[in-house]
């Protein structure tokens, strides 16, 4: 089966509802209000003044990842071992259908290692459920958004009860019906909004005039793993351009290799520490399950050096490495939500 190639960024902001859209490729969702952003320089539970979150979108071949799903799934044991060796957790956002089709052992492994799991849609692309060509949550109304949110939660919770605290929708695309559904499901956090225009600090999200009881954890929409070595410049030019611009502004060599990715992420981490701020890294492990000589083994070449550095920063208390749920609990204590 060959995935139909499509850009991750399309022109429609939100075909349904009044607010929302993409946070990627220079797009900004409409109507987002940043309320009570977490103050910079605050002291986190381990005494550090900055926090780093490692988040994964676990999506096999349900989206547009191009690696081997079998290899991706078998990699999770190694990834979790590396996290455990370093004494740090991560947040894994997983496509619900993938849990049904391929789980639950690999998600249980994540939890056993102290990481958090949350849904990344029930289906990754909504047209696979509803037909037609509308892929994104923000293209749909309340009924479809409720199904996407609640079935994603159910796919995990029928295996592991009461573990889901938050949600990341595919493509980070949403509208107010998505947030209504997440709030209705009593979730605590969401992570869709990119750092462009909203900053890196967690905040309480408002959409239009409505303020939600959800902590929004902004994610890296400029330099996340994927464009560094996988994106082709024809369909994903905006990603490649964003990474190039970041490298230029920081005087980092722009090389589309795993090592180039590590250099960029190191810079991200050190900036967060310098600025006493929060930064949320985003990685797609399906793109680390590729077999091309030029990339050698991206798990070894890209992800493990990143995990080792995060472990070191956490041990030396230069940063607090936490899950989305841990950050949310901290935020709620500070802001008294
Ligand atoms: Zn995805």
């Amino acid at each position: 089966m060959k995935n139909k190639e499509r850009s991750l960024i399309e022109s429609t902001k939100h075909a349904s509802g009044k607010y929302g859209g993409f946070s990627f490729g220079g797009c900004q969702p409409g109507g987002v209000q940043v309320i009570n952003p977490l103050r910079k320089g605050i002291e986190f539970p381990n005494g550090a003044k900055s926090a780093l979150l490692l988040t994964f979108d676990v999506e096999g071949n349900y989206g547009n990842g191009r690696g081997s799903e079998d290899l991706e799934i078998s990699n999770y044991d190694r990834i979790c071992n590396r996290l455990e060796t370093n004494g740090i957790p991560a947040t894994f956002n997983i496509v619900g259908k993938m849990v049904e089709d391929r789980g639950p052992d690999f998600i249980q492994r994540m939890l056993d290692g102290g990481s958090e799991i949350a849904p990344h849609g029930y289906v990754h692309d909504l047209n696979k459920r509803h037909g037609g060509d509308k892929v994104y949550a923000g293209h749909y109304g309340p009924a479809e958004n409720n199904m996407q949110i609640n079935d994603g939660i159910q796919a995990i919770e029928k295996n592991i009860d009461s573990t889901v605290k938050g949600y990341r929708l595919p493509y980070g695309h949403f509208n107010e019906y998505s947030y209504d559904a997440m709030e209705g499901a009593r979730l605590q956090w969401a992570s869709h909004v990119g750092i462009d225009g909203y900053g890196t600090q967690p905040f309480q999200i408002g959409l239009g005039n409505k303020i939600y009881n959800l902590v929004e954890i902004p994610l890296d929409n400029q330099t996340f793993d994927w464009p560094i070595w996988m994106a082709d410049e024809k369909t994903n030019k905006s990603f490649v351009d964003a990474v190039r611009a970041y490298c230029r502004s920081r005087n980092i060599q722009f090389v589309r290799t795993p090592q180039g990715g590590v250099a960029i992420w190191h810079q991200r981490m050190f900036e967060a520490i310098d600025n006493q701020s929060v930064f949320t890294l985003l990685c797609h492990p399906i793109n680390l399950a590729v077999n091309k000589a030029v990339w050698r083994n991206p798990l070894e070449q890209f992800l493990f050096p990143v995990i080792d550095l995060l472990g070191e920063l956490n041990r030396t208390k230069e940063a607090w490495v936490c899950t989305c749920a841990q950050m949310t609990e901290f935020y709620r204590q500070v802001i008294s939500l």
Side-chain angles (χ1 to χ4, degrees):
M1 185 186 78
K2 192 171 179 334
N3 288 341
K4 190 173 160 240
E5 298 281 331
R6 62 187 304 158
S7 170
L8 297 184
I9 306 300
E10 291 169 25
S11 55
T12 316
K13 258 195 167 175
H14 50 86
S16 234
K18 285 190 189 149
Y19 310 110
F22 284 112
S23 255
F24 288 83
C27 304
Q28 283 201 1
V32 172
Q33 291 185 62
V34 175
I35 295 161
N36 293 326
L38 192 67
R39 171 170 76 73
K40 288 186 182 176
I42 200 162
E43 187 173 313
F44 289 105
N46 73 343
K49 294 278 180 73
S50 71
L52 297 167
L53 293 86
L54 178 59
T55 69
F56 295 100
D57 286 0
V58 176
E59 57 188 62
N61 299 121
Y62 295 78
N64 22 9
R66 296 185 221 171
S68 153
E69 191 175 299
D70 287 340
L71 179 58
E72 179 197 354
I73 287 175
S74 69
N75 277 344
Y76 286 118
D77 187 45
R78 297 185 62 203
I79 293 172
C80 291
N81 284 337
R82 197 77 171 203
L83 290 165
E84 278 181 286
T85 302
N86 278 285
I88 53 170
T91 305
F92 293 91
N93 303 291
I94 311 159
V95 171
K97 193 80 176 62
M98 184 171 167
V99 176
E100 287 182 353
D101 295 344
R102 308 297 301 260
D105 290 356
F106 75 100
I107 64 165
Q108 186 64 54
R109 174 71 191 86
M110 295 162 180
L111 282 176
D112 291 345
S115 287
E116 178 181 5
I117 57 175
H120 183 51
Y122 173 69
V123 286
H124 194 275
D125 293 4
L126 276 165
N127 59 338
K128 288 187 184 149
R129 188 168 205 184
H130 302 293
D133 59 4
K134 292 181 176 175
V135 169
Y136 313 110
H139 284 168
Y140 288 89
E144 295 87 355
N145 270 286
N146 271 313
M147 283 168 70
Q148 174 76 328
I149 298 297
N150 290 311
D151 292 352
I153 296 170
Q154 261 307 304
I156 291 175
E157 294 209 330
K158 70 181 148 199
N159 295 295
I160 300 144
D161 197 27
S162 303
T163 193
V164 174
K165 305 279 193 298
Y167 211 103
R168 178 180 288 153
L169 281 160
Y171 307 99
H173 195 271
F174 61 88
N175 60 18
E176 62 268 39
Y177 306 128
S178 319
Y179 277 81
D180 289 345
M182 287 184 281
E183 192 177 61
R186 299 183 184 282
L187 296 179
Q188 305 277 306
W189 62 264
S191 182
H192 303 114
V193 170
I195 57 176
D196 283 329
Y198 306 101
T200 59
Q201 302 300 101
F203 61 91
Q204 189 182 3
I205 190 167
L207 277 178
N209 294 324
K210 183 168 175 187
I211 297 170
Y212 289 87
N213 191 29
L214 280 157
V215 179
E216 181 72 23
I217 300 177
L219 54 137
D220 177 9
N221 60 340
Q222 299 171 348
T223 60
F224 66 102
D225 69 306
W226 193 70
I228 297 160
W229 56 85
M230 289 300 292
D232 83 70
E233 295 192 29
K234 288 198 187 102
T235 53
N236 293 290
K237 186 172 182 305
S238 59
F239 285 83
V240 178
D241 287 347
V243 180
R244 190 184 287 111
Y246 181 82
C247 287
R248 195 172 290 147
S249 67
R250 266 66 170 189
N251 216 6
I252 305 172
Q253 207 189 348
F254 176 69
V255 267
R256 291 165 75 178
T257 61
Q259 290 85 350
V262 172
I264 291 168
W265 275 23
H266 279 196
Q267 177 69 21
R268 282 290 195 205
M269 292 180 213
F270 292 129
E271 278 176 31
I273 290 167
D274 274 355
N275 297 331
Q276 302 195 327
S277 60
V278 177
F279 198 84
T280 302
L281 300 157
L282 164 60
C283 176
H284 294 76
I286 186 65
N287 295 329
L288 306 178
V290 290
N291 186 10
K292 274 204 179 177
V294 63
W295 295 309
R296 296 169 64 196
N297 184 338
L299 212 57
E300 305 274 355
Q301 305 287 312
F302 172 71
L303 187 59
F304 288 174
V306 163
I307 290 176
D308 291 349
L309 180 61
L310 285 167
E312 188 190 323
L313 295 172
N314 188 60
R315 272 190 302 280
T316 55
K317 305 191 189 321
E318 287 188 78
W320 181 43
V321 177
C322 64
T323 64
C324 291
Q326 288 169 330
M327 176 55 71
T328 300
E329 196 188 333
F330 177 78
Y331 179 96
R332 286 177 182 273
Q333 282 166 10
V334 172
I335 309 285
S336 316
L337 278 192

